[in-house]
Each structure stands twice: as structure tokens, then as C-alpha cells.
Amino acid sequence: MTDCELKAARLQRALGYEFADKALLELALTHRSAGNRNNERLEFLGDSIVNHIIAETLYHKFPSASEGDMSRMRAALVKGDTLAEVARELELGEHLILGAGERKSGGRRRTSILADALEAVTGAILLDSNVETCRGCVLNWFVGRLDTLSLGGADKDAKTSLQEFLQGHGKPLPEYELLGVQGDDHSQQFRVVCRLTKPALTVEGSGSSRRKAEQAAARTALERLNPDEK
């Protein structure tokens, strides 16, 4: 067995699935930076199936949960940061096929690329097998996270809480703007500003991703709202 075949076999063991059509797996691992034949269409398919599997699982796991609770739990599980964490656990990054520029700039560790690749691999498994097999793989990847979920822990994130508060009081929604990114690719810090017009308030937040920086800014905005405004 060649090194390439050994590497593919190791990945498939980690995924818990052996491909009948190895070309599908290769396509799922091919980033758009590597050429026109890439994983974007598989990513589109995988995004839908991951959302469906997680939503269906939450529906059965939490029979008394409201739509809002299930939506928040699903969002936490299928957000880019979580998908990238799962991809890292599967060591997907070392198997990615990237263009020269992405390889040099740390593309194998990039959260967005890893998240997209996990969705593409999910789409590839679906096409190579069937819905039930694909569901089994996805649930196996997420089992630890699903087991630690509780209905009481389905708290709203700061951005959702801020948005719902403003909507409930008939006020304009907040605006977020990226101020800058500092640091190397593997240790980037994002700075974001959150602006409210009514009440007038401008705060900043930072984090290791744009989403985390926006959440930090929203949290600060909530903390600074006067009690009578809340």
C-alpha cells in the first residue's frame, strides 16, 4: 500500500466510513484554491444534511424543548467554530488538498476551510452511501457534544439576546463592523465594533474569530444598557 493509500485509509477509519468511490473523498478534500474542480458543491449538500440530522436529533432528544431552544442548540452545534473543532478531532486538515497560497498561509488550520471540508465530506458520504449511513457517521462525530447538551443549558447567546431585546422594544437592530485583525494565522485576534442607534451606544469586542468578537461586543452592549432600558 502506498503512502497516499495509507493516509486515505487512516482518514476513513477516523471518519468511521470507507468510501466505495475514493474520488468522492478526494473531491470533498479539495479546496477551491486548488482549482475549478473543488468541494464547494459537496459543501452545499453537506451543510443541508448536517443541519437536518442535528435538527432531527434535537427534536427527539428534547421533546419538551421550544422551537427557540432547539434553534439555539442547533446553531451552537453547526456553527463554523464547532464544525472546525470536529474536523480537527478527525485530523481533516492534514488531508486537505490546497493551492500553494493557502498551504503557505496556514490553510490547513483555518477554521472556515476546516468547517467547509467537514460539510463536504458529509455530502460525499451521503452520495457514496445513503441517508442512514450518513446519519450514523455525523452522530458519531457529534456524540460527545450531543451528550453534554441540556435544555437548561440552551441559553441564548449575547447577539441573539441583544437582537431580541431591541426587536421587542421596536428599536433598530445593532450594526457590527470589523475594525481589524492582528496576529499570525494560527493566533489571530479580531476586533469588532457594535453600534446601537436607540439607545445610542458604541462598544468594541475582540476574539479569535469574527463571530467571537461580535459576541463579546454584544455582551458588553447588554451589560452597558441602563436597567430601565432593559
Side-chain angles (χ1 to χ4, degrees):
M1 192 178 282
T2 66
D3 287 345
C4 212
E5 289 171 332
L6 285 169
K7 198 173 178 183
R10 188 170 71 249
L11 173 59
Q12 289 173 100
R13 282 195 300 272
L15 294 173
Y17 180 77
E18 183 173 354
F19 278 82
D21 183 357
K22 299 296 192 289
L24 263 177
L25 175 59
E26 181 179 348
L27 182 61
L29 298 170
T30 304
H31 186 253
R32 64 176 177 270
S33 63
N36 292 330
R37 188 177 179 277
N38 56 59
N39 64 7
E40 288 186 324
R41 281 170 53 83
L42 285 174
E43 175 201 336
F44 167 81
L45 180 61
D47 174 69
S48 297
I49 192 69
V50 169
N51 270 276
H52 170 79
I53 290 168
I54 295 299
E56 182 183 33
T57 301
L58 292 173
Y59 180 87
H60 292 296
K61 183 177 175 68
F62 299 100
S64 63
S66 68
E67 178 188 1
D69 287 334
M70 290 189 293
S71 293
R72 285 187 286 276
M73 287 189 282
R74 181 182 62 179
L77 288 169
V78 303
K79 66 183 181 181
D81 287 347
T82 304
L83 295 176
E85 285 173 6
V86 174
R88 290 187 184 100
E89 291 165 5
L90 297 170
E91 298 184 346
L92 213 56
E94 65 179 82
H95 301 275
L96 295 176
I97 301 168
L98 305 170
E102 282 294 351
R103 286 199 304 273
K104 292 176 182 176
S105 64
R108 296 188 188 282
R109 301 184 301 273
R110 197 172 318 244
T111 295
S112 59
I113 291 178
L114 288 168
D116 291 348
L118 185 73
E119 290 176 336
V121 167
T122 304
I125 291 174
L126 176 67
L127 293 180
D128 196 62
S129 58
N130 52 59
V131 173
E132 288 307 313
T133 299
C134 187
R135 178 183 286 109
C137 290
V138 171
L139 293 181
N140 188 50
W141 303 340
F142 282 86
V143 64
R145 291 169 175 83
L146 286 164
D147 285 347
T148 58
L149 280 179
S150 65
L151 189 54
D155 296 328
K156 301 172 187 176
D157 60 49
K159 284 184 67 177
T160 301
S161 295
L162 180 60
Q163 178 175 314
E164 290 184 354
F165 163 76
L166 294 171
Q167 285 178 322
H169 290 75
K171 298 179 180 180
L173 294 180
E175 294 182 356
Y176 298 90
E177 180 185 349
L178 180 64
L179 296 177
V181 184
Q182 296 178 323
D184 299 328
D185 289 326
H186 63 283
S187 60
Q188 289 182 327
Q189 278 292 307
F190 292 73
R191 286 179 57 240
V192 164
V193 65
C194 171
R195 296 189 181 92
L196 280 63
T197 54
K198 292 182 181 180
L201 182 65
T202 300
V203 296
E204 292 186 17
S206 62
S208 57
S209 69
R210 180 167 182 166
R211 182 184 180 280
K212 289 181 179 178
E214 290 177 350
Q215 290 287 356
R219 196 175 302 114
T220 300
L222 283 167
E223 291 169 356
R224 293 192 184 177
L225 285 172
N226 293 327
D228 59 337
E229 291 172 331
K230 291 183 178 181

